[in-house]
Amino acid sequence: MSTTGLVDDNPPNIKFSQIGKPLSRTDAPGKVFGSTLFAGDYVMPGMLHLRLVRADIASAKLVHLDVEKARAVEGVVDIITAQDLPALLAKADTSEKKEQKLTTDPQLLVSERVRYFGEPLALIAAETYEIAERACQLVEFKLDPLPAVYDPLEAMQPGAPVVQAPDNIVVERKIRKGDAAAGLEKADFVIENTFRTPFQEHAFLEPEAGMAWVDENDVVNIRVCTQDIEHFRDVADAIGVPHNKIRIRGAFVGGGFGGKEEFALELYLALMARKTRRPVRLEYSREESFVAHGKRHPFILRYKTGVTKDGRICGLDVSIVADSGAYVFLSPNVLLYAAVASPGPYRVDNLNVHACAVATNNMYTSAFRGYGALQACAAYEQQMDEVAKFLEMDRIEFRRLNYLKTGEPISTGYVPPSAIWTEQCVDRAWAALGERIDSTGPVKIGRGIAAYQQSYGKVSAMGDISEAWVGVETDGTVIVRSGVADIGGGQVSALGQIVAEIFGVTLDDVAIYKTDSALTPLSGRTAATRTLYMTGNATKQAAAAIHSRLAGRAALELGVQADEIDMVNNKVFVSAKPEICMSFKELVNICAAEGIHRSQLAIFRAPFSDIIDPQTGQGQAHPDYVYGAHAAEVSVDTETGEVHVLRSIAAHDIGQCINRAAVEGQIEGGAQNGQGFALSEEMLYEQGKLVTPSLSEYLMPTSMDMPRVETIILESRSGIGPFGAKGIGEPAMTPVAPAIANAVADAIGVRVFEMPITPERIVNALKQQRR
């Protein structure tokens, strides 16, 4: 399959006045000085505090639930169980409705069967948090254990306990390109390995929090930390009220990473606010957050790679099994992303991918930064090193032989419309490591590299739209209105920098109103690395339309053609003769006096394609892709298994920076996120019960564990975002873990095939090597 509008590898030489600069973000002062209010900071007079009663085993039949002792506690105002839910909510699907594949939806509150540890049984509202907590302890319930299954491979076997009928397989994805069997048959060598990736906790700084109240117009207002204010429709549908009776007011979000796409919290708040007619507040503790939202899907990935003697990949067969946990949620999409990404940024003409997600009685799994493509990268980049080692080839040269080039089709036959700069990124990151350090004694030094392909934008078959409103005031300042949720990546500030560039003003001249489902144009969720691409383009369209009208009037005033007008530093001038000019404020006032329209609502529509073949996976899965690499240098103590990351170098082609400092921040955060995934973040379950439920047991890298992250930003200016931008939110993390894994293997001479690569696994691998 082909596409139009392909680019070459020579970016245009364009000079910007605002774009690409490391400007102080609009949200920076409030966060630095502590004046920014997050959802958990809001309180109201007379508010009630909500707490949830949760199941203490992972698979059971609910045979008895008695809340009367809890209801009798002084200060308890109301209690809701499944029997009290509206009919529409009794089986509420709090996942993406378009992704629903089974008849068993997630439950807001358990009615008959518990499918995972921590599933909610009852919702309690009380005058204080302490009273609500005490009432939770007095709720009496009896759970009769049912047979359970916690391993996805076991869940696929005949006779396994059924979590999701009929056979626990909740979704399958296939990619067929060329003839994989024939490619493997003609290969000189076939190398096969199996890799495992773990559950991962989002561990955002700000646990889930929100409050709700009913106003004088009978509208339920919900102030919540969310990645998607458009859940107001889902809440309204679920509780049976018109859409205009639910208003979601987002706050700045203290970290999301996909974990705040769900909307169960909003439903709990809306239900109790409507029932009690009082403000209600719900905030999860850190320990509760660990069991309250979906985790990253653990994957089992088998790679069978056929290569020629000279290092060409001639066939690839990939099998992926993902643990969906107790419910479907976003497993269909996550699996699609993984399947599409499974060959990586390499040309594979003969490809077979079979991926399935399997239900278990583990915690359900859902969206997480990297969204399936990260797990695939963890496998294919380790496999690339293993194949190079087998062939006794240099790992960079082996990759170089097989890189996808700009204009070539990926796994689905689709040709990305932007540049593919994998080779440039790998070479830059690898070279930045410098001279290799010799290691002696038990501590060994190793180096690793990993390249990647990561989509940005939603699945093309789902379609996507985003709106933005821009207006210019008579004093020359600019207003942007957008429903975008800022989850810490500077999503809101980027919109300001875009309009500042177009109008030639400064970021200080721009005010941005955000994240209110009743007052700001709807922009879709902040997820899938789509926000800059979608809402950035909508904002740019709106600003460009106003600019055109302003430039036309300036041309009349200055006696030139409109295309000769430029706007920089709050000045409007003739490009070839800057001395012929006027202030931006003067121009705006002329336009205002003459009734020239100075505001614009714009809508940006992503390219839509519903032609993905379900049997072959051929077609356009996503709008476009990001390419880059990560290099790592580690030390490994072969006696204790302890790993230290010494160097961490990231090189990404992000198309075009909007804010260089924000891009660097995303890359640095991705490096920390990926390092934890590679080495230390491990969610341990016993019979489905989480036994690492806090940050004292779940070990994330701190600043003391992190080296300085070195960032190399390449700009092909070929992306389909504003000014040629691509996305970086998810890609920043994707190659980090396999780069570290490859560095560890390089240091100790043996591969640990399961993440996280803990000291115990390293020591065991070394013991097995010595046998």
Side-chain angles (χ1 to χ4, degrees):
M1 182 179 178
S2 63
T3 188
T4 58
L6 292 177
V7 299
D8 60 26
D9 287 333
N10 298 307
N13 184 19
I14 303 172
K15 291 185 178 180
F16 296 111
S17 64
Q18 301 292 317
I19 293 298
K21 304 297 190 294
L23 304 181
S24 177
R25 286 172 16 188
T26 56
D27 57 316
K31 290 178 177 178
V32 169
F33 296 111
S35 60
T36 297
L37 294 178
F38 293 86
D41 294 320
Y42 288 90
V43 296
M44 294 182 73
M47 69 182 183
L48 300 175
H49 296 261
L50 307 187
R51 297 291 292 142
L52 286 157
V53 180
R54 297 180 180 273
D56 56 4
I57 59 176
S59 181
K61 181 179 180 181
L62 177 60
V63 295
H64 178 70
L65 178 62
D66 188 344
V67 299
E68 293 312 308
K69 289 184 179 178
R71 198 183 297 276
V73 173
E74 185 177 356
V76 170
V77 176
D78 213 333
I79 299 177
I80 295 176
T81 68
Q83 293 181 344
D84 305 309
L85 296 178
L88 289 170
L89 257 179
K91 289 287 185 180
D93 174 14
T94 57
S95 64
E96 280 262 9
K97 286 182 168 53
K98 290 183 180 179
E99 301 308 315
Q100 189 63 20
K101 299 294 179 185
L102 304 180
T103 57
T104 306
D105 290 334
Q107 304 172 96
L108 191 67
L109 297 169
V110 172
S111 57
E112 296 179 358
R113 180 176 173 185
V114 171
R115 289 182 173 82
Y116 68 89
F117 174 83
E119 196 161 11
L121 304 175
L123 177 66
I124 296 177
E127 298 289 351
T128 67
Y129 178 93
E130 292 74 19
I131 293 173
E133 184 67 21
R134 186 161 70 250
C136 286
Q137 306 303 317
L138 295 176
V139 172
E140 297 177 351
F141 59 87
K142 181 181 179 183
L143 300 174
D144 280 356
L146 293 173
V149 62
Y150 305 107
D151 184 296
L153 297 181
E154 292 179 8
M156 297 169 69
Q157 299 302 312
V162 176
V163 184
Q164 294 282 0
D167 57 6
N168 291 328
I169 297 176
V170 300
V171 65
E172 295 181 273
R173 297 292 192 191
K174 300 174 184 177
I175 303 285
R176 304 282 187 270
K177 182 184 179 188
D179 189 334
L184 293 170
E185 181 67 26
K186 74 176 184 180
D188 294 316
F189 307 104
V190 176
I191 298 91
E192 182 175 349
N193 288 297
T194 299
F195 307 90
R196 289 175 178 262
T197 66
F199 287 100
Q200 189 179 21
E201 162 64 23
H202 300 78
F204 11 73
L205 285 172
E206 169 203 33
E208 296 88 336
M211 68 181 308
W213 67 98
V214 182
D215 65 22
E216 66 277 7
N217 297 313
D218 202 36
V219 172
V220 180
N221 292 262
I222 306 171
R223 175 75 75 177
V224 67
C225 54
T226 179
Q227 294 179 230
D228 188 358
I229 62 170
E230 292 187 37
H231 283 319
F232 77 92
R233 300 189 185 101
D234 303 299
V235 174
D237 290 342
I239 65 177
V241 299
H243 289 182
N244 63 5
K245 292 299 182 182
I246 301 292
R247 177 183 181 183
I248 294 182
R249 306 183 185 196
F252 278 109
V253 179
F257 314 111
K260 291 173 181 172
E261 289 186 33
E262 302 161 19
F263 68 98
L265 191 78
E266 289 92 321
L267 285 168
Y268 295 131
L269 290 164
L271 278 169
M272 196 61 84
R274 278 176 57 83
K275 191 173 184 188
T276 63
R277 311 301 290 189
R278 289 177 61 177
V280 296
R281 182 178 187 274
L282 176 59
E283 180 178 356
Y284 293 163
S285 66
R286 175 63 64 187
E287 291 74 16
E288 189 174 16
S289 181
F290 265 80
V291 299
H293 64 258
K295 311 305 171 193
R296 184 187 298 282
H297 290 69
F299 275 25
I300 303 168
L301 308 102
R302 179 190 56 78
Y303 271 68
K304 185 185 291 186
T305 307
V307 289
T308 61
K309 292 178 182 179
D310 63 356
R312 303 279 181 176
I313 298 173
C314 54
L316 178 62
D317 187 87
V318 180
S319 171
I320 299 173
V321 177
D323 188 344
S324 80
Y327 295 106
V328 179
F329 276 85
L330 297 177
S331 290
N333 263 6
V334 170
L335 215 60
L336 174 64
Y337 280 65
V340 171
S342 59
Y346 305 104
R347 178 172 178 172
V348 180
D349 295 325
N350 299 300
L351 174 67
N352 176 57
V353 182
H354 179 261
C356 66
V358 184
T360 67
N361 289 110
N362 292 319
M363 180 64 182
Y364 67 87
T365 47
S366 192
F368 201 129
R369 187 182 199 175
Y371 209 70
L374 177 142
Q375 293 96 314
C377 183
Y380 64 68
E381 279 304 277
Q382 292 190 81
Q383 178 73 348
M384 292 296 285
D385 262 29
E386 288 297 299
V387 176
K389 180 180 179 181
F390 180 90
L391 294 172
E392 298 182 342
M393 287 185 66
D394 178 84
R395 48 191 158 172
I396 303 296
E397 291 308 312
F398 173 58
R399 285 172 168 82
R400 196 186 314 279
L401 281 172
N402 294 285
Y403 288 138
L404 276 171
K405 304 294 185 181
T406 300
E408 292 184 340
I410 64 169
S411 60
T412 67
Y414 175 67
V415 177
S418 66
I420 299 176
W421 278 15
T422 310
E423 185 170 4
Q424 294 94 318
C425 292
V426 169
D427 289 349
R428 291 284 299 275
W430 192 247
L433 286 175
E435 293 295 322
R436 188 178 182 109
I437 302 173
D438 293 329
S439 55
T440 58
V443 177
K444 305 298 182 183
I445 306 296
R447 291 180 164 186
I449 190 77
Y452 72 92
Q453 171 187 286
Q454 178 87 46
S455 61
Y456 62 103
K458 290 174 67 174
V459 175
S460 297
M462 295 176 66
D464 200 7
I465 59 173
S466 186
E467 298 178 344
W469 183 94
V470 176
V472 181
E473 295 299 314
T474 54
D475 63 353
T477 59
V478 181
I479 294 175
V480 179
R481 303 184 195 275
S482 170
V484 64
D486 193 310
I487 61 175
Q491 289 87 357
V492 165
S493 186
L495 304 183
Q497 208 156 341
I498 288 168
V499 300
E501 177 67 40
I502 291 172
F503 293 123
V505 298
T506 70
L507 195 53
D508 289 337
D509 296 317
V510 182
I512 309 167
Y513 295 90
K514 63 176 182 64
T515 329
D516 187 326
S517 66
L519 298 180
T520 55
L522 299 178
S523 59
R525 65 180 49 177
T526 300
T529 312
R530 66 173 289 281
T531 303
L532 177 61
Y533 160 50
M534 293 298 301
T535 309
N537 272 332
T539 302
K540 184 172 182 284
Q541 284 182 359
I546 302 168
H547 178 277
S548 178
R549 294 193 285 268
L550 297 182
R553 184 60 185 86
L556 289 175
E557 194 72 14
L558 301 179
V560 295
Q561 298 299 310
D563 60 5
E564 298 179 67
I565 295 295
D566 206 349
M567 300 180 189
V568 179
N569 296 327
N570 290 290
K571 293 288 186 182
V572 181
F573 56 90
V574 178
S575 300
K577 297 181 178 181
E579 66 276 10
I580 303 176
C581 64
M582 63 193 303
S583 73
F584 183 67
K585 179 180 177 180
E586 286 179 282
L587 172 61
V588 173
N589 273 277
I590 291 171
C591 292
E594 296 179 2
I596 296 173
H597 201 191
R598 295 167 291 105
S599 66
Q600 184 76 31
L601 175 66
I603 182 167
F604 179 75
R605 296 175 174 86
F608 174 79
S609 174
D610 61 355
I611 57 174
I612 298 178
D613 187 311
Q615 296 305 312
T616 67
Q618 296 300 290
Q620 182 184 349
H622 305 100
D624 193 22
Y625 298 87
V626 186
Y627 297 88
H630 200 92
E633 184 174 76
V634 304
S635 68
V636 185
D637 189 320
T638 56
E639 294 179 345
T640 67
E642 187 176 13
V643 178
H644 289 285
V645 179
L646 307 176
R647 300 283 301 281
S648 188
I649 300 169
H652 303 269
D653 169 31
I654 53 87
Q656 169 63 54
C657 276
I658 300 301
N659 185 309
R660 181 167 290 269
V663 170
E664 291 173 347
Q666 286 289 287
I667 293 172
E668 291 163 4
Q672 185 271 349
N673 217 175
Q675 182 173 321
F677 186 68
L679 296 176
S680 61
E681 296 184 32
E682 189 168 25
M683 304 195 77
L684 298 176
Y685 291 88
E686 293 180 359
Q687 298 297 301
K689 180 179 180 179
L690 182 64
V691 295
T692 54
S694 74
L695 296 180
S696 61
E697 300 98 357
Y698 183 79
L699 303 179
M700 299 173 60
T702 68
S703 58
M704 300 297 291
D705 303 307
M706 292 292 299
R708 183 177 69 87
V709 179
E710 302 172 52
T711 61
I712 301 170
I713 299 171
L714 283 71
E715 295 177 303
S716 66
R717 289 179 172 165
S718 66
I720 57 176
F723 304 102
K726 296 190 177 187
I728 192 60
E730 292 176 282
M733 180 182 181
T734 295
V736 178
I740 293 171
N742 286 338
V744 171
D746 181 54
I748 65 177
V750 62
R751 173 78 53 186
V752 177
F753 289 92
E754 182 173 3
M755 292 181 181
I757 304 171
T758 59
E760 294 83 358
R761 290 187 174 124
I762 289 174
V763 170
N764 288 336
L766 288 169
K767 286 181 179 177
Q768 292 176 5
Q769 183 189 44
R770 289 193 288 265
R771 289 176 183 171

